[in-house]
Amino acid sequence: MIFILNLFLAWCFLHRITAVPLPESTTPTINIAIIGAGSAGTSTAYYLSKLTANFNVTIYEETNRIGGRAFSKLVPIGNSYITVEYGASLIASVNYNLANATNDLGLVSVPSKWTEIGGDTVSGFGVWNGSWRYKDIQALTWTTLTNSLTNVLLLLQYGLLNGPTKAQNLVNPLIDKFLLLYNRLSQVNPFTSVADIITSITLSDVVQSTASSYFRSNNINEAFMTDIIGGITKNCYGQEMDTIEAIGAIISLYSSLGGIFKIKGGNEKLFQKMAIASGATIRLNSIVTSVNGISDGRFAVSTATDTSAYDVVVMAAPIVPDTTPSIQFGNLDLSSVIPMEYVQIHGELMYTEFKFSTNPYGLVTIVVGEVKPLYWKILLSTDFPGDVLIPSGLDPLILPFHSVGLLYTKTELLGRTTQVVKFFSKSVLNGPTLANCFRRIDYTDREVWNSPGAYPNLLPKQLSTYTGSFEVSPGFYYANIMEGFISTMETQSVSGRNIANAIWQKYIK
């Protein structure tokens, strides 16, 4: 599987769109500050370094690490460890920026369920609402959903004519449209606004309607829409089909069912490598307190310890009101920036080893650990599927989590099973809830994504909402403006690359 995946990525590398050769630069050095070291910030620096120009780049990052919402931890299992993604988990094979950078920077891509210590095969998926609405031993892919020879029961439940196959035929052309933007990026021809992107690739209809209304208007089977599309969308964005914009569900569906991979050792390694390869000065633990325009047309960027002047500033972190710490933008006109509301989720990771704690929420408790077959209505804990989808529209009081993933399972010779399970929820899963789900819980670890949150509320918007420029004030660029349209590691990288192109066009060409 790993060999096949790497062959595919090698193909992408060899057949990628070739960038337009640029002339040698004879212009003075342009000093650029990038605020934020996630996908957008590191991509801006990385693609600036690929343009022939005298750019002197400094990346400011308020935390002690590079990667933003790509964040992993080493989780101990016995005397070994596995890498678990707590944030942005997967990269789609059609994410050309990130797939090509993976090859360029010598990183190793691995399948989504791969771990450092092997384990038993993790596969299968199910739809769970307190009982199994559907359960399959095969992995959740387009092939599984659309192959009538192997999945007669699935197609009977979710629609032979208006279910998986029709949804795939609806989604694929939309993704083909989205991929057209890479042609323009490779030509160093920047988009001026998100509206420019949307109209250029003709996706206006899928940003102005909800996912449910869009799929219903295209006569997609209601059960398939609620269970599969809705479950995948909740897993990716924690939002319901009746409120999320259609493009959010479309991207979720395509990315989750197509070729996906992750970076061996953690997805943040990709952005660390991009930052280092760019040659930028990297300032970790540097909280920017203010950005002000100065009389010579440059910008004064201040931290608690110093102030430096720059010709260009790229804001590659969300501008969200009432967050702490906040950046004061002084005399800059940012009136065109529309603040976004972010979704807070609670990442809950449970793995089975003997530990002890008296914490009342069961953060670490004494249990004999594995999933509880009685709760999950399975014969054995080893029957637990790799991906559990929670249908759209389900009352959170009935199920307090909105997705479940089995990351690792291993049954020893004497029958002791060790499993690693990841939950996403909008609130802390308390002790009684966990005790219901598990026969044994020996260790829990939590990560709360806040300030501002895991991802923005992707609500339907009129095209006029997206007309604000990437360059929101002369010389000041806002990379996170893309998140109102769609929020992924790749689209943030696209935003960073587009801004790099815009800077080159304005200051060098």
Side-chain angles (χ1 to χ4, degrees):
M1 177 67 179
I2 297 175
F3 175 73
I4 294 172
L5 180 59
N6 283 328
L7 276 180
F8 178 81
L9 292 175
W11 184 93
C12 288
F13 174 78
L14 292 172
H15 293 81
R16 59 188 170 174
I17 301 167
T18 303
V20 175
L22 301 174
E24 291 292 330
S25 173
T26 58
T27 60
T29 298
I30 306 297
N31 294 303
I32 301 171
I34 298 173
I35 303 172
S39 177
T42 57
S43 293
T44 303
Y46 181 67
Y47 285 104
L48 281 170
S49 72
K50 289 181 170 294
L51 299 171
T52 306
N54 298 320
F55 294 133
N56 179 32
V57 179
T58 300
I59 301 175
Y60 291 84
E61 169 55 44
E62 68 178 23
T63 70
N64 63 354
R65 65 178 189 86
I66 294 171
R69 281 168 277 175
F71 173 54
S72 64
K73 291 183 183 180
L74 290 176
V75 173
I77 300 178
N79 296 321
S80 302
Y81 293 84
I82 66 171
T83 303
V84 172
E85 300 292 344
Y86 281 63
S89 300
L90 300 170
I91 302 169
S93 299
V94 293
N95 291 165
Y96 294 144
N97 278 5
L98 300 187
N100 288 333
T102 298
N103 279 293
D104 290 345
L105 299 171
L107 291 163
V108 178
S109 58
V110 293
S112 60
K113 298 294 185 181
W114 179 90
T115 68
E116 290 87 343
I117 60 174
D120 300 332
T121 300
V122 175
S123 189
F125 76 97
V127 179
W128 175 261
N129 66 353
S131 296
W132 294 108
R133 286 179 53 78
Y134 183 82
K135 190 167 177 289
D136 202 308
I137 61 172
Q138 300 181 89
L140 183 60
T141 66
W142 278 123
T143 300
T144 302
L145 293 177
T146 59
N147 192 330
S148 58
L149 295 178
T150 60
N151 246 328
V152 174
L153 291 178
L154 184 145
L155 292 175
L156 287 174
Q157 179 163 336
Y158 291 119
L160 181 62
L161 299 178
N162 63 346
T165 301
K166 185 170 184 177
Q168 184 181 33
N169 292 336
L170 178 65
V171 166
N172 282 353
L174 297 172
I175 298 299
D176 289 341
K177 288 182 178 182
F178 186 84
L179 298 180
L180 292 174
L181 64 83
Y182 292 100
N183 290 318
R184 186 158 156 184
L185 288 174
S186 70
Q187 296 165 2
V188 199
N189 180 15
F191 297 96
T192 58
S193 64
V194 176
D196 187 13
I197 293 176
I198 294 170
T199 54
S200 295
I201 56 180
T202 62
L203 287 178
S204 301
D205 56 336
V206 292
V207 301
Q208 297 182 95
S209 63
T210 65
S212 58
S213 63
Y214 179 79
F215 284 105
R216 282 193 186 110
S217 68
N218 284 279
N219 300 311
I220 297 299
N221 179 280
E222 190 75 18
F224 183 77
M225 184 185 74
T226 300
D227 288 3
I228 305 298
I229 304 176
I232 289 172
T233 301
K234 285 176 74 170
N235 178 52
C236 292
Y237 290 110
Q239 294 170 247
E240 300 288 354
M241 295 287 284
D242 286 341
T243 57
I244 194 170
E245 61 178 356
I247 187 64
I250 289 164
I251 293 292
S252 299
L253 186 63
Y254 187 89
S255 299
S256 298
L257 299 181
I260 53 177
F261 66 94
K262 62 183 179 180
I263 303 299
K264 183 179 181 181
N267 288 334
E268 68 269 31
K269 288 186 178 295
L270 175 56
F271 304 113
Q272 292 165 4
K273 285 272 195 177
M274 292 173 80
I276 294 168
S278 75
T281 299
I282 302 168
R283 295 186 53 173
L284 300 180
N285 298 305
S286 294
I287 299 175
V288 174
T289 56
S290 67
V291 179
N292 286 284
I294 52 182
S295 58
D296 62 1
R298 295 183 298 165
F299 300 89
V301 176
S302 299
T303 68
T305 58
D306 62 78
T307 298
S308 300
Y310 294 93
D311 302 293
V312 176
V313 171
V314 178
M315 185 65 186
I319 298 176
V320 180
D322 304 321
T323 59
T324 303
S326 59
I327 301 175
Q328 301 300 315
F329 292 102
N331 56 3
L332 298 182
D333 180 10
L334 305 184
S335 58
S336 64
V337 174
I338 298 176
M340 288 176 287
E341 177 187 351
Y342 279 70
V343 177
Q344 293 189 11
I345 63 167
H346 189 89
E348 187 100 30
L349 182 79
M350 284 156 287
Y351 63 93
T352 59
E353 272 303 320
F354 287 99
K355 302 287 181 182
F356 176 77
S357 172
T358 56
N359 189 289
Y361 289 101
L363 284 171
V364 189
T365 59
I366 299 176
V367 288
V368 181
E370 60 189 287
V371 297
K372 184 184 289 184
L374 181 63
Y375 174 83
W376 294 104
K377 297 179 173 59
I378 51 180
L379 183 62
L380 301 170
S381 59
T382 51
D383 294 331
F384 194 75
D387 295 290
V388 179
L389 305 178
I390 310 300
S392 181
L394 200 64
D395 188 339
L397 295 177
I398 298 175
L399 283 182
F401 42 82
H402 56 72
S403 74
V404 188
L406 177 64
L407 306 182
Y408 171 87
T409 184
K410 178 70 176 178
T411 301
E412 305 298 342
L413 291 176
L414 297 178
R416 182 178 185 273
T417 297
T418 298
Q419 295 169 309
V420 179
V421 179
K422 182 165 69 172
F423 288 79
F424 282 118
S425 62
K426 291 187 178 180
S427 60
V428 175
L429 302 180
N430 59 27
T433 299
L434 301 184
N436 283 338
C437 298
F438 284 81
R439 174 186 288 169
R440 184 180 91 239
I441 305 175
D442 303 301
Y443 186 91
T444 67
D445 188 33
R446 294 176 167 89
E447 185 72 29
V448 179
W449 286 97
N450 51 27
S451 187
Y455 25 62
N457 264 324
L458 296 173
L459 305 175
K461 305 175 188 70
Q462 295 300 312
L463 191 61
S464 58
T465 306
Y466 297 107
T467 55
S469 174
F470 283 94
E471 187 177 13
V472 296
S473 186
F476 184 95
Y477 296 82
Y478 184 38
N480 282 64
I481 197 172
M482 190 78 163
E483 291 214 288
F485 167 43
I486 191 66
S487 178
T488 68
M489 288 188 285
E490 176 70 6
T491 49
Q492 285 298 90
S493 180
V494 164
S495 183
R497 184 177 182 180
N498 184 67
I499 287 172
N501 289 347
I503 292 171
W504 186 86
Q505 287 282 354
K506 179 173 181 177
Y507 293 91
I508 304 301
K509 186 177 179 181

